């Protein structure tokens, strides 16, 4: 009887090890790369494209934005960083808000921390070229292509 119980337990353990585990539905982080052109005088605007790399797949997206506050100048920037709080790829698309500022004279460093209404947070940084001074409230819309 004891031997039969051991065989049965060994079979259950072997079966548990061989059955594939479904993918986690937990939040995962993703890599983000964005190229942005922006310009403004008091009210600023910008647009760009980027790529989200999430769970081994690449998802191109489009960025448009509007800023209100003290803005003067024009820049081109390339940002890279991470997005966290993504449960599904569709969570990445949406409206993000940010309060920030920065300055560039020929070249500089750009950085942003953004959050959308689905709980996705992005932290981005990278070089920018142009002339700009900004202290503003920004709204950025990301749409997956």
């Amino acid at each position: 009887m004891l031997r039969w119980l051991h065989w049965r337990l060994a079979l259950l353990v072997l079966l548990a090890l061989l059955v594939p585990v479904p993918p986690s539905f937990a939040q995962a982080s993703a890599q983000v790369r964005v190229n942005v052109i922006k310009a403004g005088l008091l009210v600023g605007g910008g647009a760009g494209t980027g790529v989200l790399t999430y769970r081994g797949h690449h998802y191109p997206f489009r960025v448009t934005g509007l800023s209100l506050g003290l803005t003067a100048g024009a820049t081109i920037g390339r940002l890279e960083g991470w997005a966290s709080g993504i449960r599904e790829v569709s969570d990445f698309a949406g409206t993000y808000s940010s309060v920030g500022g920065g300055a560039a004279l020929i070249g500089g460093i750009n950085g942003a921390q953004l959050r959308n209404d689905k709980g996705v947070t992005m932290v981005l940084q990278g070089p920018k070229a142009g002339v700009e001074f900004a202290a503003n409230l920004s709204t950025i819309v990301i749409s997956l292509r």
Side-chain angles (χ1 to χ4, degrees):
M1 177 80 167
L2 190 56
R3 188 175 205 160
W4 177 78
L5 185 60
H6 282 126
W7 277 105
R8 194 169 187 186
L9 183 59
L11 184 62
L12 284 173
V13 169
L14 182 62
L15 186 61
L17 292 174
L18 293 177
V19 173
V21 178
S24 171
F25 291 104
Q27 297 176 353
S29 61
Q31 183 181 10
V32 179
R33 291 185 315 267
V34 184
N35 295 314
V36 179
I37 298 173
K38 59 184 197 171
L41 185 59
L42 295 180
V43 174
T49 60
V51 175
L52 170 72
T53 303
Y54 179 67
R55 294 189 174 172
H57 298 293
H58 302 290
Y59 301 93
F61 62 89
R62 189 165 298 219
V63 178
T64 57
L66 181 66
S67 62
L68 183 59
L70 184 56
T71 300
T75 59
I76 297 172
R78 184 181 70 232
L79 300 168
E80 292 187 13
W82 296 94
S84 60
I86 299 173
R87 291 182 187 271
E88 298 179 14
V89 175
S90 60
D91 291 346
F92 182 71
T95 303
Y96 289 78
S97 59
S98 171
V99 175
L105 182 59
I106 308 302
I109 299 292
N110 204 7
Q113 182 167 352
L114 309 164
R115 182 173 174 88
N116 74 7
D117 58 347
K118 297 174 190 167
V120 176
T121 301
M122 278 194 289
V123 178
L124 305 168
Q125 65 181 24
K128 66 180 173 179
V131 177
E132 176 189 46
F133 177 78
N136 50 39
L137 177 73
S138 299
T139 299
I140 295 147
V141 178
I142 292 180
S143 55
L144 292 168
R145 291 197 266 161

